[in-house]
Amino acid sequence: MTDAAVPVTQSAVENFTARYLQSLGCQVEIRDNEWQVTIPEDVETDLPKGEHALVCGTAEDLDETYEQLHPESSFFQSVLDDASDRAPLGVTRIDAIDTDIIVPDWLQESSISVSNIDFTPYYDRSALVVLFRLSVETVSEYQQEFLRSIGIDIRSKEILPNIDETFLTLTQSETAPILSRDIAVEPEQVERLVDASREPLLSEIQPQIDEIHQGASRAADAELEEYRQLQRQREEELETEITHLRSKIDDLNESIDDKNQTERVEALKERRECKSKLQEVETELNELRRRREQGYPDQQREIRDRHGLEVVVTPVTVTEIEYERGDATFELTDCDLTRTLTVGYGSGVGVTEAVDCDSCGQSLSGEDPLGAITNGVRCMACRG
């Protein structure tokens, strides 16, 4: 099975952008990965009017006359915002006849052949596919945005793998229109389902968040080390200054008795100033040493706060999807032996129930796929 949260692909971005702009009455000329887009003044849209030169995908050292078009680019974010403002809710249907049967990973990774698959739908179910924008940022360094979709069954609140990927694929087909009509789910239930899908969504992108956090931590460590070096340098400067002041005070002490009254008064005044400065410098040095011994707690807290992550999850669009549930029968072949295996299945979703090994009782998976069909279903570890 695929991840619960599916990233929006580059092809989906390009297809959606072209179709949406053309539906508004914009001109889109495509030459390989370069687009020329014209948004007329009379088009009702919040997108910037005029000419836009786009380059698909990410590119470094891009000419400033070009804008990038990819899932996280500012231009696509503007297109998505414009489209979601017009129709944040939609309805579509996934029928088995419109989609390929999804073979589970425990069969894809197996040496057992699949000679035939039949799907028998029994009833319809509904799901929501929610497209989220995730903003991961630090206060001072950078911001990264991701688009992720996730599917959830309306009745059971079960996270449905594959259905959002199937949905994103269908959006690239002219034969699968997304209807902008009121969905059947009540607004309060939509809100609950959207909330229920946040945690598994965040769990799926946690590795990316961790990677960003590690980068932010490295930046914080580097800044803190630079601060330590500056403070150590300042300590050395103060130590040098203290040595100089003490030497000067000693010289003044030795010379005071040899001076006339006027010179003596000036020397005493200068000695007082040096002693006052010495006390001030020693106080500053002692404070720096104290803070160093404590590990610069205030500075550490300030730097960590500036490099701390803030993750904001915002739903952009919600699509109600009607899909079929029933049974899928896989005809399996291993040498001269043939066996049929029937499991629960959903159109666009895939296998909806775990299949356990008849020997050890563990569920089959991509890591421990189907290993044998002799004397029942056996995993790779138990195939003997």
Side-chain angles (χ1 to χ4, degrees):
M1 292 183 178
T2 60
D3 292 340
V6 175
V8 177
T9 62
Q10 178 67 29
S11 60
V13 165
E14 294 175 18
N15 192 278
F16 174 81
T17 302
R19 290 175 59 187
Y20 180 70
L21 292 175
Q22 290 166 349
S23 72
L24 295 178
C26 305
Q27 298 177 2
V28 181
E29 296 182 12
I30 300 176
R31 297 188 184 91
D32 295 327
N33 69 328
E34 293 188 9
W35 293 18
Q36 291 295 325
V37 175
T38 302
I39 304 178
E41 292 292 335
D42 58 349
V43 169
E44 294 183 6
T45 177
D46 291 332
L47 295 171
K49 307 297 195 300
E51 304 286 337
H52 297 268
L54 307 179
V55 172
C56 296
T58 57
E60 296 181 358
D61 302 324
L62 191 65
D63 190 292
E64 61 181 12
T65 59
Y66 285 91
E67 299 174 77
Q68 293 188 341
L69 179 62
H70 57 77
E72 281 74 50
S73 67
S74 59
F75 186 86
F76 179 68
Q77 296 292 328
S78 298
V79 170
L80 191 62
D81 288 340
D82 195 72
S84 60
D85 286 343
R86 290 171 178 269
L89 304 176
V91 178
T92 191
R93 180 176 177 82
I94 297 178
D95 290 317
I97 195 172
D98 299 323
T99 57
D100 294 331
I101 295 293
I102 300 172
V103 178
D105 54 358
W106 47 265
L107 268 179
Q108 293 181 26
E109 302 300 325
S110 173
S111 60
I112 306 298
S113 301
V114 180
S115 53
N116 187 50
I117 308 175
D118 288 321
F119 172 53
T120 305
Y122 297 139
Y123 52 89
D124 289 344
R125 287 285 285 268
S126 294
L128 291 187
V129 168
V130 187
L131 178 63
F132 284 99
R133 178 186 288 119
L134 295 98
S135 174
V136 184
E137 62 182 280
T138 65
V139 174
S140 61
E141 290 295 322
Y142 51 77
Q143 173 174 324
Q144 294 191 36
E145 290 192 336
F146 306 94
L147 289 174
R148 292 293 185 272
S149 62
I150 190 167
I152 183 169
D153 187 271
I154 291 174
R155 182 186 303 173
S156 66
K157 294 186 180 180
E158 170 192 4
I159 297 299
L160 301 175
N162 301 312
I163 196 170
D164 45 342
E165 187 171 15
T166 304
F167 165 68
L168 290 174
T169 302
L170 290 177
T171 60
Q172 303 178 57
S173 171
E174 297 288 347
T175 62
I178 306 302
L179 306 177
S180 299
R181 61 172 173 82
D182 292 339
I183 64 177
V185 191
E186 294 295 327
E188 294 79 8
Q189 189 177 8
V190 171
E191 185 175 348
R192 289 195 296 269
L193 290 166
V194 170
D195 288 342
S197 62
R198 289 176 188 269
E199 185 175 345
L201 182 89
L202 286 172
S203 296
E204 287 297 334
I205 70 159
Q206 192 61 48
Q208 289 173 283
I209 294 176
D210 290 342
E211 184 178 347
I212 296 172
H213 184 262
Q214 290 169 6
S217 295
R218 287 192 294 269
D221 291 342
E223 185 175 339
L224 187 59
E225 180 59 31
E226 182 180 357
Y227 179 82
R228 288 193 182 100
Q229 292 177 3
L230 290 173
Q231 298 307 296
R232 184 57 187 162
Q233 181 180 340
R234 178 59 179 161
E235 284 187 39
E236 293 173 355
E237 292 172 354
L238 293 175
E239 289 168 351
T240 301
E241 188 174 357
I242 287 172
T243 300
H244 172 72
L245 287 170
R246 286 175 175 170
S247 177
K248 189 172 182 179
I249 291 171
D250 289 342
D251 291 342
L252 288 170
N253 288 335
E254 293 176 359
S255 64
I256 284 177
D257 293 338
D258 298 332
K259 297 182 182 298
N260 59 38
Q261 184 64 27
T262 301
E263 292 174 338
R264 181 183 174 86
V265 170
E266 290 298 322
L268 288 171
K269 179 181 178 182
E270 184 177 1
R271 188 178 68 176
R272 283 197 302 271
E273 292 175 348
C274 287
K275 286 184 176 180
S276 176
K277 181 64 175 178
L278 176 62
Q279 184 178 8
E280 179 183 326
V281 174
E282 286 178 336
T283 298
E284 182 181 351
L285 178 59
N286 289 334
E287 176 63 18
L288 285 178
R289 287 171 173 169
R290 183 188 67 82
R291 290 169 54 201
R292 171 163 53 83
E293 290 174 0
Q294 293 178 344
Y296 306 109
D298 293 339
Q299 193 67 22
Q300 280 212 47
R301 184 163 46 252
E302 190 271 333
I303 290 175
R304 298 298 180 192
D305 286 345
R306 282 194 291 105
H307 289 276
L309 292 190
E310 180 181 7
V311 181
V312 180
V313 183
T314 307
V316 180
T317 61
V318 176
T319 304
E320 180 183 359
I321 295 183
E322 299 169 354
Y323 71 102
E324 300 170 308
R325 291 191 81 144
D327 285 337
T329 299
F330 295 88
E331 186 175 297
L332 309 175
T333 302
D334 185 14
C335 298
D336 296 331
L337 180 63
T338 299
R339 179 188 181 91
T340 59
L341 181 62
T342 300
V343 292
Y345 187 90
S347 57
V349 177
V351 172
T352 56
E353 62 184 58
V355 176
D356 298 334
C357 172
D358 291 331
S359 179
C360 68
Q362 296 295 315
S363 296
L364 301 179
S365 65
E367 292 71 33
D368 190 15
L370 179 65
I373 55 176
T374 305
N375 298 323
V377 172
R378 297 181 182 275
C379 67
M380 188 68 69
C382 297
R383 66 176 179 174

